[in-house]
């Protein structure tokens, strides 16, 4: 794995590889843990039999009768990077974030630049719009607030008097739960010169 797996000898893992012939859908026991050699790859061993081109049908049937599983291809997994994804923890357990606890916000090729809170609402400022997340428990409500005013300078976004002020495509804007409004029209020529 590309991150520490936290497994110990004797732990059970579940392996699902439907594209193999035959498909794998079983539980395996970890039999060995190998130390990381500084490569950033973390290894563990399980017992299984690999299918090779030299195996005959009779040998395969005999081994399958003894409970062997066969892999025709190497299966690998890597961390999935999604710039538009927010992960959330279990209730009352901020350190526990299951891999299935996520919300995709807006277009998956547009990154989240800043997240700010106003009372009961999270504001997600992205390069493709402003989104809000509300709710106290999953499933949370995601709503597009404004897709015409995109964040330009993520570090400029601040909360003041229960409003968000940020430098957006259209200029300095104030963002509330009802939408966004440009407040820098009188300075527009100076802001455009800098941006």
């Amino acid at each position: 794995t590309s991150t520490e797996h936290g497994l110990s000898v004797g732990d059970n893992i579940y392996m699902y590889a439907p594209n193999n012939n035959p498909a794998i859908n079983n539980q395996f026991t970890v039999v060995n843990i190998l130390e990381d050699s500084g490569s950033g790859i973390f290894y563990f061993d399980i017992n299984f039999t690999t299918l090779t081109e030299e195996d005959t049908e009779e040998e395969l049937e005999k081994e399958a009768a003894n409970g062997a599983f066969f892999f025709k291809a190497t299966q690998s997994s890597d961390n999935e990077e999604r710039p538009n994804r927010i992960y959330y923890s279990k209730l009352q357990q901020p350190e526990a974030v299951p891999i299935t606890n996520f919300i995709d916000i807006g277009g998956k090729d547009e990154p989240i630049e800043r997240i700010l809170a106003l009372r009961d609402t999270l504001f997600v400022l992205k390069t493709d719009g402003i989104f809000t997340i509300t709710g106290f428990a999953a499933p949370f409500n995601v709503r597009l607030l404004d897709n015409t005013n995109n964040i330009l300078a993520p570090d400029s976004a601040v909360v003041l008097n229960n409003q968000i002020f940020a430098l957006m495509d259209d200029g300095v804007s104030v963002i509330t739960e009802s939408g966004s409004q440009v407040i820098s029209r009188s300075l527009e020529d100076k802001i455009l010169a800098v941006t």
Side-chain angles (χ1 to χ4, degrees):
T1 60
S2 58
T3 58
E4 290 191 50
H5 47 68
L7 296 172
S8 301
V9 173
D11 286 352
N12 290 323
I13 64 164
Y14 185 78
M15 188 169 289
Y16 177 66
N19 296 329
N20 287 316
N21 185 15
I24 305 301
N25 189 2
N26 203 355
Q27 184 173 317
F28 294 89
T29 301
V30 175
V31 295
N32 189 28
I33 301 293
L34 302 174
E35 295 294 323
D36 173 33
S37 61
S39 65
I41 305 295
F42 302 88
Y43 299 93
F44 62 90
D45 291 339
I46 59 173
N47 287 329
F48 64 91
T49 304
T50 303
L51 177 64
T52 64
E53 298 295 329
E54 295 79 31
D55 288 328
T56 65
E57 288 297 320
E58 295 81 25
E59 289 172 332
L60 294 178
E61 287 176 12
K62 181 179 176 183
E63 291 180 34
N66 293 327
F69 292 90
F70 303 97
F71 285 81
K72 202 167 193 176
T74 301
Q75 298 293 316
S76 64
S77 175
D78 200 351
N79 287 341
E80 184 177 31
E81 290 185 19
R82 293 280 178 98
N84 71 320
R85 184 167 283 180
I86 295 176
Y87 286 89
Y88 57 91
S89 69
K90 291 181 178 179
L91 186 63
Q92 304 294 328
Q93 298 179 45
E95 305 86 16
V97 183
I99 197 165
T100 57
N101 284 14
F102 65 84
I103 305 169
D104 286 329
I105 309 291
K108 66 180 176 179
D109 57 335
E110 299 291 339
I112 294 171
E113 297 290 343
R114 188 78 178 220
I115 300 173
L116 296 165
L118 293 182
R119 293 191 181 139
D120 298 334
T121 305
L122 278 180
F123 288 81
V124 181
L125 307 178
K126 294 185 58 186
T127 55
D128 64 342
I130 304 167
F131 297 82
T132 62
I133 303 173
T134 56
F136 294 103
F140 298 100
N141 300 316
V142 177
R143 178 175 67 104
L144 174 63
L145 184 68
D146 187 349
N147 64 349
T148 62
N149 203 4
N150 308 322
I151 187 77
L152 188 63
D155 291 336
S156 71
V158 294
V159 175
L160 178 66
N161 293 332
N162 202 39
Q163 297 173 325
I164 297 172
F165 293 85
L167 180 57
M168 308 292 278
D169 286 342
D170 293 340
V172 177
S173 299
V174 61
I175 303 165
T176 63
E177 293 180 8
S178 58
S180 70
Q181 180 180 356
V182 179
I183 59 171
S184 62
R185 293 290 181 217
S186 61
L187 304 171
E188 193 165 337
D189 57 337
K190 293 177 177 56
I191 293 173
L192 289 175
V194 174
T195 61

